[in-house]
Amino acid sequence: MSLKAELDCAVDDAAQRLLGCVLEREIDGTAVRVKIVETEAYDQTDAVSHSYKGRTPRTDVMFGPSGHLYVYFTYGMHYCCNVTVGGSGHGAAVLIRAVEPLGSETTLASRRAGKAGVELTNGPAKLCQALGITKAMNGHDLATSPLVLVMRPRLSKKEIVTTTRVGITRAKDVPWRFYIKHNPYVSRSV
DNA sequence: AGCGGGATTTTCT
DNA sequence: GAAAATCCCGCTT
């Protein structure tokens, strides 16, 4: 099954499917692999989503095909990355909030001055910095190099914690944040 | 361990 | 002109 087809579903379902999946990043000739451990869903019907107000130059990628990278810039200094889901014409994406390095920690640390261990990738802007993801990669097809998303068998409900999203002011009570239970790289456990 | 503020620019009103 | 899907540092307990 293609990456695109697997993510062509409801945004909260896609967010849970992405847990445990692997991102393969090629940086300066080195292959770096990380596992997704925390996600949040954002849909066009959702008051806090960037796509809520319709298709604009900024949110164009969210309305495109599933399985692409949506990168946004915020707080004047940080990038955060999302995987588009829900299919063409539907403005939805899943924010990658935390990942777990699968080796290659020295390569990740080289972009995270003074940081080590879980501090390398336990937050949405941190992992973008560690993986070298910037606005230049907005719209990138995640089936292709230098950043590839590899799907994995979906986790059982027992392995997933469901809770509310972080850092938002509206729709605070929507339970669209998901993370792998007991994983040390999760940005903030309940 | 927890709280508070500053950084800094894109985006939409 | 204000808010923003955040992070880091310094100060207090």
Side-chain angles (χ1 to χ4, degrees):
Chain A
M1 182 182 280
S2 75
L3 173 62
K4 200 173 122 172
E6 289 217 51
L7 295 174
D8 225 5
C9 58
V11 64
D12 53 332
D13 189 29
Q16 292 174 77
R17 286 185 184 218
L18 283 167
L19 290 176
C21 296
V22 174
L23 280 172
E24 296 181 351
R25 171 72 163 126
E26 214 177 291
I27 308 178
D28 304 328
T30 309
V32 178
R33 298 170 71 245
V34 299
K35 181 170 82 172
I36 298 171
V37 301
E38 179 180 352
T39 60
E40 282 181 4
Y42 289 90
D43 189 72
Q44 65 184 22
T45 60
D46 170 23
V48 74
S49 172
H50 294 166
S51 57
Y52 182 62
K53 293 181 180 145
R55 193 166 187 160
T56 67
R58 179 203 200 187
T59 60
D60 193 58
V61 176
M62 289 182 78
F63 287 86
S66 300
H68 286 239
L69 194 68
Y70 167 52
V71 181
Y72 68 89
F73 186 72
T74 193
Y75 291 106
M77 63 174 71
H78 295 301
Y79 292 105
C80 297
C81 69
N82 300 247
V83 177
T84 60
V85 302
S88 286
H90 190 88
V94 174
L95 173 67
I96 309 303
R97 281 197 58 86
V99 299
E100 173 184 343
L102 303 173
S104 303
E105 304 207 0
T106 48
T107 303
L108 292 168
S110 68
R111 291 178 184 267
R112 296 276 299 139
K115 305 297 177 187
V118 301
E119 295 292 318
L120 292 174
T121 55
N122 68 342
K126 297 178 190 180
L127 69 92
C128 281
Q129 186 182 5
L131 291 171
I133 295 172
T134 70
K135 188 150 190 155
M137 293 184 74
N138 189 37
H140 172 74
D141 182 351
L142 290 169
T144 65
S145 180
L147 182 62
V148 178
L149 174 61
V150 181
M151 296 303 288
R152 288 280 186 263
R154 90 180 285 155
L155 302 181
S156 72
K157 291 214 163 172
K158 280 197 266 191
E159 300 172 90
I160 300 175
V161 177
T162 301
T163 182
T164 54
R165 294 171 291 182
V166 174
I168 56 175
T169 54
R170 287 164 289 169
K172 282 193 182 86
D173 299 328
V174 179
W176 273 3
R177 174 170 175 249
F178 308 96
Y179 64 84
I180 299 179
K181 194 176 288 186
H182 304 315
N183 188 289
Y185 286 85
V186 171
S187 67
R188 174 183 163 300
S189 297
V190 173

